[in-house]
Amino acid sequence: MKKNQLRRICVFCECWESGGIESFMYNVLSNINLNGLEVDIVVSQLKDSIFSERLKNIGVNFCELSGNQKRIIKNYRMFSKLLKERQYDVLHMNVFHTISFLYGIPARKNKVKTLIAHSHNTKIGKCRSYVLKKILHCFFKLFYYKIFNDYWACSVNSAKFMFPQKILTHHKDFEIIPNGIDTGRFEFCEKTRAKIRGELGVGDKPILINIGRLCAQKNQTFLLDVMKVLKDAKYDCILLLVGEGEMLSDLQEKTERFHLTNRVVFYGTSSNVEDLLSAGDVFVFPSIFEGFGIAALEAQAEGLPVICSEHVPHEAFLTEHIQAVPLNKGAEKWAETVMNVFEHYDRGGNSAEIVKSKGYDIKKTAKKIETKYRK
């Protein structure tokens, strides 16, 4: 195929590491036919990620702007220059706040035909610049959404957070895009369970597992409170934390302070989370806010019972074995729920097929996105 026949796709993210957006885009790009498509993942900041090398191996390119998300003006100029050079046909903007809509301006000026704003978030995290970010978010939400011609979201709540109400009710190109997963990967395996538990050296102790970036949003510090309650109740179990992030040292310090070092495993990132889920007994997900919560979906496909916060969108509740426990009920209530689940849950059934039947198979999601890329 000649170069000028290729359709050039720009997948934009503010930061690329090993989080939910990255997992989603890896799943999508691994399951579409890239023949005739030239895909660039363009980011303000490029960090280490378990997904990067795999995507490079299938022909996806990476382009880092300034290397700092806060250098908005420099990123804007570099992105404008890149748009002129690459002449993209599609901009697929994966956003967690509307300030990123700014990058749609040069895309429209450079006549990118398909401009997709894809929401993956429901809230702005607390930080020193929270008030300013909130003001800017509201401003861009009201005045800059018109730059785009397609509006996607991973859940209704993430759509409400990112777009004006009239987009949700009247725009023909607004769509909820399911955060599909490879349901064939996420199926419980007894042999894998025994292998991983042997490697961890946990014997027959129950395992609570959490997968996600170690950060304030994911709220792993609350899980240490839960583990302290379980320890005080003489309940012998393990907390397996899978992920990396800026809260690692704080979590490690709290683990030592609570005398939980023999009960908490900091595993780091993993490219085979399905194996770790097979080894687990209950998935705990106390997020302060979530656009969707793809890790909870993967856990359900593995047949794991899921205990999550009230902030996980209802779209993620696909099996009868997921329940929300409000965070304000405290660590005691969560610990009680954990013990109750351990006592009564019998892992079985074909949960992966249930997830697939409800529209969350990655092949279906990828086909929808590929169609838009080629349109």
Side-chain angles (χ1 to χ4, degrees):
M1 181 173 286
K2 294 180 180 179
K3 196 76 171 176
N4 60 8
Q5 290 180 301
L6 289 171
R7 283 184 64 78
R8 286 180 171 164
I9 316 299
C10 174
V11 176
F12 182 91
C13 306
E14 283 286 359
C15 181
W16 183 268
E17 43 188 331
S18 298
I21 293 176
E22 296 87 340
S23 175
F24 172 73
M25 285 311 308
Y26 167 75
N27 286 339
V28 168
L29 294 173
S30 299
N31 284 277
I32 68 175
N33 178 12
L34 292 174
N35 184 38
L37 300 177
E38 191 169 82
V39 180
D40 294 350
I41 293 178
V42 180
V43 298
S44 299
Q45 186 174 14
L46 185 62
K47 296 183 180 181
D48 290 337
S49 172
I50 58 175
F51 305 112
S52 298
E53 204 58 39
R54 298 186 197 177
L55 288 172
K56 289 177 184 177
N57 289 338
I58 61 173
V60 175
N61 309 306
F62 282 84
C63 178
E64 183 181 47
L65 300 179
S66 73
N68 190 327
Q69 298 174 68
K70 296 179 180 179
R71 296 176 184 167
I72 297 176
I73 295 175
K74 186 173 183 180
N75 289 330
Y76 182 92
R77 289 172 178 167
M78 293 180 73
F79 189 55
S80 298
K81 182 180 178 182
L82 183 68
L83 288 166
K84 291 177 183 177
E85 293 173 353
R86 298 291 287 151
Q87 298 181 351
Y88 293 111
D89 298 286
V90 177
L91 170 62
H92 182 184
M93 180 161 285
N94 295 273
V95 293
F96 52 88
H97 54 61
T98 62
I99 301 170
S100 297
F101 286 2
L102 183 70
Y103 297 102
I105 298 173
R108 184 167 283 282
K109 286 181 179 178
N110 283 275
K111 299 181 180 179
V112 178
K113 294 178 181 178
T114 302
L115 296 163
I116 306 164
H118 194 163
S119 174
H120 295 271
N121 204 8
T122 58
K123 191 177 180 180
I124 295 174
K126 294 290 184 181
C127 59
R128 290 180 181 178
S129 57
Y130 174 78
V131 175
L132 176 60
K133 282 186 175 181
K134 184 72 173 178
I135 292 170
L136 289 173
H137 174 81
C138 293
F139 176 77
F140 280 97
K141 178 177 178 177
L142 290 174
F143 297 105
Y144 282 85
Y145 73 92
K146 295 178 182 178
I147 291 169
F148 301 92
N149 43 38
D150 284 271
Y151 305 89
W152 293 354
C154 59
S155 67
V156 172
N157 286 344
S158 68
K160 290 178 178 178
F161 172 70
M162 204 69 65
F163 309 126
Q165 183 61 36
K166 56 186 172 183
I167 291 294
L168 281 61
T169 54
H170 300 299
H171 203 286
K172 64 181 178 65
D173 291 314
F174 165 69
E175 231 180 321
I176 298 293
I177 303 295
N179 274 9
I181 62 171
D182 184 350
T183 52
R185 277 180 59 204
F186 293 93
E187 293 183 353
F188 175 66
C189 176
E190 190 67 59
K191 184 177 180 181
T192 300
R193 175 180 172 84
K195 175 178 176 291
I196 297 298
R197 291 178 72 90
E199 292 173 356
L200 294 172
V202 297
D204 59 356
K205 295 178 183 178
I207 294 180
L208 285 72
I209 181 169
N210 172 273
I211 298 173
R213 193 160 59 91
L214 304 180
C215 63
Q217 175 196 344
K218 301 297 183 180
N219 201 21
Q220 287 94 348
T221 186
F222 178 78
L223 292 178
L224 297 181
D225 295 332
V226 175
M227 289 298 292
K228 176 68 163 54
V229 174
L230 291 169
K231 173 177 173 285
D232 292 344
K234 311 297 183 186
Y235 200 87
D236 196 10
C237 59
I238 301 294
L239 173 62
L240 180 63
L241 295 177
V242 183
E244 295 177 345
E246 60 272 20
M247 290 287 291
L248 175 60
S249 59
D250 291 336
L251 292 168
Q252 289 173 330
E253 186 276 328
K254 186 172 181 177
T255 299
E256 293 180 6
R257 180 158 40 91
F258 280 6
H259 304 290
L260 296 171
T261 50
N262 62 337
R263 291 171 173 258
V264 178
V265 177
F266 291 92
Y267 193 87
T269 57
S270 172
S271 57
N272 296 301
V273 293
E274 64 273 21
D275 294 347
L276 300 177
L277 288 169
S278 281
D281 294 286
V282 61
F283 189 82
V284 280
F285 204 50
S287 300
I288 295 173
F289 59 95
E290 278 291 341
F292 180 78
I294 196 168
L297 187 66
E298 294 169 344
Q300 288 176 84
E302 283 269 358
L304 272 175
V306 176
I307 303 171
C308 65
S309 74
E310 71 275 27
H311 304 297
V312 173
H314 70 87
E315 288 91 342
F317 287 63
L318 297 182
T319 71
E320 60 182 9
H321 303 300
I322 178 172
Q323 59 180 306
V325 179
L327 293 174
N328 62 13
K329 294 289 185 181
E332 291 78 11
K333 180 62 177 177
W334 272 65
E336 178 188 325
T337 306
V338 165
M339 288 187 285
N340 186 58
V341 167
F342 280 146
E343 184 176 348
H344 295 103
Y345 183 71
D346 182 22
R347 194 169 190 168
N350 199 342
S351 299
E353 279 302 315
I354 294 174
V355 170
K356 183 176 181 179
S357 69
K358 293 189 176 182
Y360 283 86
D361 183 71
I362 188 57
K363 290 179 173 57
K364 186 174 181 179
T365 301
K367 185 63 179 177
K368 183 187 290 286
I369 293 177
E370 181 184 347
T371 300
K372 175 58 69 173
Y373 284 177
R374 296 184 183 277
K375 189 174 180 181

